[in-house]
């Protein structure tokens, strides 16, 4: 056929490419199948290997241990029950006696341990009480010896001696009168007064245990103020004697007196404790 005889339909058919047959894998159903295959693969990857958290693992172990323990207990009870069901009456009586004896031994042991515990507690309490008493006794002895400071109710007595007429024996009489009235701690011008304190004349003044003090003489005394002040003001007592020497005496009560002058503790040269 010549070109002049070619119709428009034949010319259009000749210009189009040949049709290619479609295989089943490349057909319209390929995309749904491929999506399903990918979904299954992701599901398998999500399930295996399994991902277990630490909390889940602990719970699983606890459940396993609990189940195992219950199974062992049930089996033991079953075996014991079977054994007891097949035992003779004499055996059952013997088993009951043994259980009773064992229970009694355990009860006796419990009572013994309880008694030991109480003894230990009492011993500890006694030791603590003894320690407290020792500390308190040491404090009291320290106050009397002048090695520790003290505070409490008492009086202050101030003696003004402008003419220098007050002598050491007058101050010593005041200390003795205060001690007789129940003074527990005494301090004179910064010097602690103890059991072996001595007073002497010293160059127009007074010396307390070798420490020179000058007027005005200030006494700080711890004790019952209602006993200390009247003891100083009795007729012919300390206050009247000092006033005869043209000295001025002022006594003042106080709810808190601090005696903080300290003495160094002396170690005896010969005396030793007789305690074993």
């Amino acid at each position: 056929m010549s070109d002049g005889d070619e119709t428009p339909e034949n010319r259009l058919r000749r210009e189009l490419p040949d049709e290619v047959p479609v295989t089943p894998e490349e057909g319209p159903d390929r995309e749904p199948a491929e999506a399903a295959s990918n979904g299954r693969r992701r599901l398998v990857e999500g399930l295996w290997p399994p991902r277990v958290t630490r909390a889940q693992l602990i719970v699983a172990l606890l459940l396993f241990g609990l189940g195992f323990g219950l199974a062992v207990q049930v089996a033991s009870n079953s075996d014991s029950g079977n054994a007891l069901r097949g035992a003779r009456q004499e055996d059952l009586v013997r088993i009951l006696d043994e259980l009773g004896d064992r229970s009694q031994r355990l009860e006796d042991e419990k009572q013994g341990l309880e008694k030991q515990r109480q003894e230990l507690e009492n011993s500890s309490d006694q030791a603590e009480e003894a320690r407290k008493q020792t500390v308190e006794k040491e404090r009291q002895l320290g106050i009397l010896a002048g090695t520790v400071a003290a505070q409490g109710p008492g009086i202050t007595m101030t003696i003004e001696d402008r003419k220098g007429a007050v002598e050491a024996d007058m101050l010593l009489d005041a200390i003795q009168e205060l001690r007789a009235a129940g003074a527990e701690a005494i301090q004179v011008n910064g010097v602690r007064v103890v059991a072996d304190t001595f007073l002497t004349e010293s160059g127009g003044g007074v010396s307390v245990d070798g420490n020179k003090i000058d007027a005005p003489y200030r006494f700080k005394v711890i004790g019952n103020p209602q006993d200390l002040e009247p003891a100083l003001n009795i007729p012919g007592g300390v206050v009247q004697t000092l006033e005869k020497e043209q000295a001025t005496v002022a006594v003042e009560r106080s709810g808190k007196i601090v005696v903080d002058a300290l003495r160094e503790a002396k170690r005896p040269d010969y005396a030793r404790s007789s305690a074993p």
Side-chain angles (χ1 to χ4, degrees), residues 201-258:
E201 301 293 334
S202 177
V206 177
S207 178
V208 181
D209 291 336
N211 301 289
K212 188 175 183 303
I213 60 175
D214 298 318
Y217 305 110
R218 181 179 176 84
F219 287 68
K220 297 170 68 175
V221 187
I222 295 178
N224 187 355
Q226 297 177 356
D227 295 334
L228 297 175
E229 183 181 7
L232 296 173
N233 289 296
I234 60 175
V238 173
V239 173
Q240 286 189 359
T241 300
L242 291 171
E243 288 178 346
K244 287 180 181 179
E245 299 296 332
Q246 304 300 316
T248 303
V249 182
V251 179
E252 181 182 356
R253 299 185 184 186
S254 176
K256 181 179 180 181
I257 299 293
V258 177

Side-chain angles (χ1 to χ4, degrees), residues 34-107:
E34 184 176 356
S37 176
N38 292 336
R40 285 193 297 272
R41 184 171 61 256
R42 286 194 297 270
L43 178 61
V44 171
E45 291 176 352
L47 295 176
W48 190 264
R51 295 177 177 85
V52 181
T53 63
R54 184 177 180 181
Q56 292 173 341
L57 180 60
I58 293 174
V59 171
L61 291 175
L62 291 176
L63 292 176
F64 175 77
L66 179 61
F68 182 76
L70 290 175
V72 171
Q73 185 175 2
V74 170
S76 176
N77 293 337
S78 178
D79 294 339
S80 300
N82 293 333
L84 292 176
R85 281 196 296 269
R88 297 177 302 173
Q89 183 176 0
E90 295 82 359
D91 295 334
L92 293 175
V93 173
R94 179 178 55 81
I95 292 173
L96 289 175
D97 292 339
E98 291 178 353
L99 290 176
D101 294 340
R102 183 178 180 185
S103 299
Q104 185 62 39
R105 288 196 302 271
L106 292 175
E107 183 64 25

Side-chain angles (χ1 to χ4, degrees), residues 187-193 211 213 218 220 260-263:
Q187 176 177 317
V188 182
N189 285 32
V191 180
R192 187 71 169 265
V193 176
N211 301 289
I213 60 175
R218 181 179 176 84
K220 297 170 68 175
D260 51 6
L262 302 180
R263 299 291 292 269

